[in-house]
Amino acid sequence: MIEINTLATGSTGNCYWVSDGSTSLLLECGISFKAIQKALNFRTSDIEGVLVTHEHKDHCKAVQEVADRGLDIYMSPGTKEALGIQHHRIRAVENKKQFQLGTWTILPFDTEHDTAEPFGFLLASQSGGKLLFLTDTYYCRYKFKGITHLMIECNYSYKILSENVNSGRTPGFLKKRVMKSHFSLENVLEFLKANDLSKVQEIHLLHLSDSNSNEQEFKQAVQAATGKLVYVP
Ligand SMILES: [Zn+2]
Ligand SMILES: [Zn+2]
């Protein structure tokens, strides 16, 4: 039984706690360690490790603190280098080479973002659940089978972004950047259509933009397209 707890999501900070009942992990640490402790009622000692997707601050702000607290942090060699922090708790893991953290088998894979070597993670639990964590990528070149839990960025919709650019609310230059670095509702729907969702129990939409998204609309669109339980934390 996979449990997902969103401690923070969005451009001001991302951090998610996940557990399969035996091993708990953090996905990202883009808020202070104090905030993480508070959100988890100070139950951080049983966290087996922290996975970080890329070096943008909203995903890794607390890396130093978290490492100093004795938690192991896993990321791509490129992200590690871009961060520039030397610490024995910070470990580089290779693209498409799976590794084990407690009862989880974790497969990192490359994503499409404007950073050194961004990763997504597929987490398979010994108890049978399979969690896909996919954020800060405008597209995903891979297809996945047997996912039970999906955590996926749904940053903006092309429609809302275009309206905001036309009205002057969002500067035009940002449009290009957003479109080449973040997942749109339209691309998320394409991704969902291309993947086998027969085992999916929950879909969590992450990292919604403050100005270029609409929570209710996104939730309804994904629900209508999949018939699944959709959460927008
Ligand atoms: Zn981000
Ligand atoms: Zn980013």
Side-chain angles (χ1 to χ4, degrees), residues 54 56 58-59 113 136 177 182:
H54 65 294
H56 283 156
D58 57 318
H59 297 259
H113 197 48
D136 292 56
R177 197 244 143 185
H182 286 286

Side-chain angles (χ1 to χ4, degrees), residues 8-211:
T9 187
S11 57
T12 52
N14 295 273
C15 187
Y16 312 90
W17 175 93
V18 298
S19 171
D20 63 355
S22 303
T23 307
S24 59
L25 304 172
L26 283 185
L27 308 178
E28 319 285 29
C29 55
I31 53 175
S32 70
F33 191 70
K34 217 177 204 173
I36 295 172
Q37 281 181 310
K38 220 172 150 189
L40 292 174
N41 287 320
F42 295 87
R43 273 174 303 200
T44 51
S45 57
D46 65 341
I47 294 169
E48 186 75 28
V50 185
L51 310 181
V52 167
T53 58
H54 65 294
E55 67 271 26
H56 283 156
K57 280 284 165 285
D58 57 318
H59 297 259
C60 67
K61 183 181 164 190
V63 159
Q64 180 80 52
E65 268 183 292
V66 167
D68 288 343
R69 297 294 179 133
L71 286 173
D72 292 319
I73 309 167
Y74 302 83
M75 61 186 71
S76 71
T79 298
K80 186 171 184 276
E81 200 186 317
L83 267 176
I85 303 172
Q86 296 302 323
H87 198 296
H88 68 284
R89 293 286 180 187
I90 302 177
R91 289 149 201 245
V93 287
E94 297 293 330
N95 189 14
K96 288 182 209 138
K97 279 205 181 127
Q98 60 180 42
F99 62 101
Q100 197 81 28
L101 285 180
T103 44
W104 294 100
T105 302
I106 298 158
L107 180 73
F109 58 91
D110 50 299
T111 56
E112 322 289 332
H113 197 48
D114 53 353
T115 49
E117 193 185 0
F119 272 173
F121 297 101
L122 182 65
L123 300 92
S125 166
Q126 255 169 32
S127 60
K130 216 185 236 189
L131 168 72
L132 180 68
F133 181 60
L134 190 55
T135 188
D136 292 56
T137 185
Y138 67 91
Y139 167 77
C140 181
R141 67 177 72 205
Y142 303 111
K143 284 182 189 164
F144 302 89
K145 275 191 204 131
I147 301 166
T148 58
H149 293 71
L150 182 55
M151 298 172 72
I152 187 168
E153 169 180 38
C154 194
N155 187 266
Y156 70 99
S157 83
Y158 186 71
K159 196 187 100 210
I160 299 172
L161 178 64
S162 302
E163 282 165 8
N164 284 338
V165 170
N166 289 339
S167 71
R169 192 168 172 218
T170 299
F173 73 89
L174 269 180
K175 185 177 174 186
K176 248 191 198 150
R177 197 244 143 185
V178 166
M179 287 178 63
K180 281 282 174 200
S181 57
H182 286 286
F183 235 141
S184 67
L185 172 66
E186 292 84 354
N187 282 350
V188 166
L189 292 172
E190 280 300 311
F191 174 81
L192 293 171
K193 212 192 288 175
N195 279 270
D196 170 22
L197 304 182
S198 56
K199 294 216 169 75
V200 169
Q201 297 165 18
E202 295 176 9
I203 300 174
H204 296 247
L205 303 179
L206 317 175
H207 211 309
L208 271 70
S209 152
D210 290 336
S211 44

